[in-house]
């Protein structure tokens, strides 16, 4: 209703379309109270702060992640809108029964937990949130995506309590495709480019 009959302004996230032929964009509009002379407001930030949406950490939205997460935080902390519903609230992966619950989930989730260990293979790093990786929540960072994360050394994350978000996979696993998916990465120093992967 706020946008009905108003001029809106679009700012494309990228110069090319995505694989479905869409052009993801930011949307701005004047506020309902200020009229045409009011400064423009991000429609995404307004939806997030009202609890009507959740931030999805797609790589192309990385430039807006800080602002969007801040807008979302007030709604989440106040249990407004979507955040008032149990299925959307952050899941503490150390809580009893949390891993079994995650195995039944589909779609985007928000979780919180302490990284206990890091495993690796030729393809990926695995951030484990329990003593036995087979029975705990695990986050996957593909080696090919490390550059997106500012070359953060995954083993340096052990012991950190991490807020994470993304699409849940089978067996209570979450693949991270963007730094915006893990709350504290933007504040960590990057490893030296000369360090081995």
């Amino acid at each position: 209703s706020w946008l009905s009959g108003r001029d809106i302004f679009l700012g494309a996230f990228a110069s090319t379309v995505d694989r479905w032929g869409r052009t993801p964009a930011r949307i701005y509009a004047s506020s309902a109270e200020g009229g045409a002379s009011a400064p423009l407001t991000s429609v995404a930030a307004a939806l997030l702060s009202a609890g009507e949406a959740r931030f999805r950490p797609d790589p192309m939205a990385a430039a807006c992640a800080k602002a969007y997460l801040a807008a979302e935080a007030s709604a989440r902390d106040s249990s407004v809108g979507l955040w008032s519903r149990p299925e959307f609230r952050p899941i503490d992966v150390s809580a009893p029964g949390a891993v079994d619950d995650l195995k039944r989930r589909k779609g985007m989730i928000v979780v919180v937990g302490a990284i206990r260990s890091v495993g690796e293979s030729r393809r990926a790093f695995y951030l484990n949130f329990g003593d036995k990786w087979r029975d705990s929540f695990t986050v996957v960072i593909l080696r090919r995506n490390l550059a997106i994360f500012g070359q953060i050394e995954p083993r340096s994350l052990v012991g950190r309590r991490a807020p994470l978000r993304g699409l849940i996979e089978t067996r209570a696993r979450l693949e991270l495709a963007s730094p915006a998916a893990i709350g504290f990465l933007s504040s960590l120093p990057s490893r030296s480019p000369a360090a081995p992967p």
Side-chain angles (χ1 to χ4, degrees):
S1 60
W2 162 41
L3 297 175
S4 180
R6 293 181 179 275
D7 289 334
I8 61 171
F9 302 86
L10 303 176
F13 275 117
S15 58
T16 58
V17 297
D18 65 15
R19 61 180 174 167
W20 295 282
R22 303 175 305 186
T23 303
R26 305 175 191 92
I27 304 174
Y28 299 92
S30 58
S31 66
E33 299 79 24
S37 62
L40 296 178
T41 299
S42 163
V43 174
L47 288 168
L48 290 163
S49 63
E52 298 299 328
R54 294 179 297 167
F55 174 63
R56 190 170 121 174
D58 293 335
M60 66 182 59
C64 301
K66 189 172 183 180
Y68 288 171
L69 287 168
E72 181 192 87
S74 60
R76 187 180 65 248
D77 294 345
S78 303
S79 297
V80 173
L82 295 172
W83 300 105
S84 67
R85 296 163 56 182
E87 65 268 29
F88 291 113
R89 290 186 193 134
I91 300 166
D92 185 337
V93 297
S94 63
V99 173
D100 290 333
D101 179 28
L102 288 166
K103 287 178 180 176
R104 294 188 293 269
R105 296 272 184 138
K106 291 183 179 178
M108 200 184 86
I109 59 164
V110 179
V111 298
V112 179
I115 299 168
R116 303 289 292 273
S117 66
V118 175
E120 59 182 290
S121 68
R122 292 178 62 190
R123 180 178 164 267
F125 287 92
Y126 302 90
L127 310 181
N128 302 310
F129 288 73
D131 294 324
K132 297 179 180 177
W133 66 268
R134 292 181 189 276
D135 302 321
S136 64
F137 178 69
T138 300
V139 168
V140 181
I141 300 176
L142 298 179
R143 286 183 183 272
R144 69 170 184 255
N145 290 338
L146 278 181
I148 300 171
F149 288 82
Q151 294 296 308
I152 295 296
E153 169 54 63
R155 288 176 287 268
S156 71
L157 305 179
V158 173
R160 300 206 52 139
R161 186 165 173 81
L164 303 142
R165 66 180 59 222
L167 297 175
I168 192 76
E169 295 183 5
T170 57
R171 293 175 21 189
R173 289 170 97 173
L174 187 72
E175 183 180 318
L176 301 186
S178 162
I182 184 165
F184 56 71
L185 282 190
S186 61
S187 65
L188 291 179
S190 296
R191 68 181 182 186
S192 166

